[in-house]
């Protein structure tokens, strides 16, 4: 046997021997503890014998009290009225609140329209299996690497829209709201659901001239998403 193998064997033997010794000690301690416990239990049982009926009566009373306490706890811990979740509608009821949409939750589409001097119609539909809410806020639409952002085409703020299934939301973008001959030519727009959306998307729109662009609120009808003015 080589020197290294012998050393390894000796180390293994020492470890195994130590484990066996520890097991033996534990068994001895366990036996001692068991004996002491049995002796103590026997002594306690002898001492408690005269008052056994009293202890049984006490246990019966305790069980009854415990049952009453459990019943009371069940009555106060429920949420049967539904007040624990949802948004307060102001009439004593609460409505479920869906998750806010992100750009990656949505299937996007764009098409060019000729009404109102020409504009881009953006359509947004939730991806299969997703239900989310478009906030009552202006869509974020940006143009080019300099981050030119579309301003509001409407005076009032729109309503939030829940996207699910075939529900579609529309927004109209006028890339050039001025009558001047200036502007920059681009072929795509960047769209996000709010300025805090971490994953905006780039959408192809064909060649457009951009100068002081404007965008409508989200609408459930495409005819309401025309950026007049």
């Amino acid at each position: 046997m080589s020197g290294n193998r012998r050393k390894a064997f000796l180390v293994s033997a020492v470890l195994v021997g130590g484990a066996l010794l520890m097991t033996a000690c534990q068994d001895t301690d366990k036996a001692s503890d068991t004996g002491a416990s049995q002796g103590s239990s026997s002594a306690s049982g002898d001492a408690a014998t005269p008052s056994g009926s009293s202890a049984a009566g006490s246990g019966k009373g305790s069980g009854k009290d415990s049952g009453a306490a459990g019943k009371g706890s069940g009555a106060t811990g429920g949420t049967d009225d539904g007040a624990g979740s949802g948004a307060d509608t102001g009439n004593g009821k609460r409505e479920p609140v869906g998750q806010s949409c992100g750009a990656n939750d949505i299937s996007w589409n764009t098409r060019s329209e000729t009404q109102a001097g020409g504009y881009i119609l953006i359509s947004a539909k939730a991806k299969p299996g997703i239900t989310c809410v478009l906030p009552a806020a202006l869509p974020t639409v940006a143009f080019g690497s300099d981050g030119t952002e579309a301003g509001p085409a409407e005076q009032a703020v729109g309503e939030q829209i829940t996207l699910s299934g075939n529900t579609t939301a529309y927004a109209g973008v006028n890339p050039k709201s001025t009558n001047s001959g200036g502007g920059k030519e681009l072929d795509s727009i960047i769209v996000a659901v709010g300025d805090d959306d971490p994953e905006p998307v780039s959408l192809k729109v064909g060649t457009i001239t951009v100068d002081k662009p404007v965008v409508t609120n989200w609408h459930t009808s495409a005819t309401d998403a025309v950026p007049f003015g």
Side-chain angles (χ1 to χ4, degrees), residues 103 108 110 142 144 187-192 199-205:
W108 300 92
T110 61
D187 62 1
S188 65
I189 60 176
I190 300 168
V191 181
E199 298 185 51
V201 296
S202 178
L203 305 176
K204 290 290 184 180
V205 294

Side-chain angles (χ1 to χ4, degrees), residues 5-19:
R5 289 185 178 179
R6 185 171 184 177
K7 287 181 182 179
F9 174 80
L10 289 174
V11 170
S12 299
V14 170
L15 291 174
V16 171

Side-chain angles (χ1 to χ4, degrees), residues 106-185:
I106 295 173
S107 294
W108 300 92
N109 192 23
T110 61
R111 72 171 185 256
S112 296
E113 300 286 349
T114 58
Q115 192 177 358
Y119 68 97
I120 301 162
L121 181 67
I122 302 172
S123 61
K125 183 186 294 186
K127 291 179 179 178
I130 292 178
T131 297
C132 61
V133 178
L134 285 174
L138 204 67
T140 298
V141 181
F143 302 80
S145 58
D146 62 355
T148 299
E149 195 168 318
E154 299 176 88
Q155 304 253 340
V157 177
E159 297 181 356
Q160 70 176 24
I161 299 173
T162 299
L163 296 182
S164 181
N166 291 323
T167 302
T168 305
Y170 303 91
V173 181
N174 182 355
K176 190 176 188 300
S177 63
T178 66
N179 294 322
S180 66
K184 57 185 178 182
E185 289 194 350

Side-chain angles (χ1 to χ4, degrees), residues 40 45 53-54 60 76 90 124 156-157 168 188 192 194 219:
S40 175
S53 59
S54 174
K60 186 175 181 180
T76 59
V157 177
T168 305
S188 65
H219 297 275

Side-chain angles (χ1 to χ4, degrees), residues 210-221:
V210 180
D211 186 22
K212 294 185 178 180
V214 294
V215 61
T216 69
N217 299 313
W218 291 113
H219 297 275
T220 54
S221 172

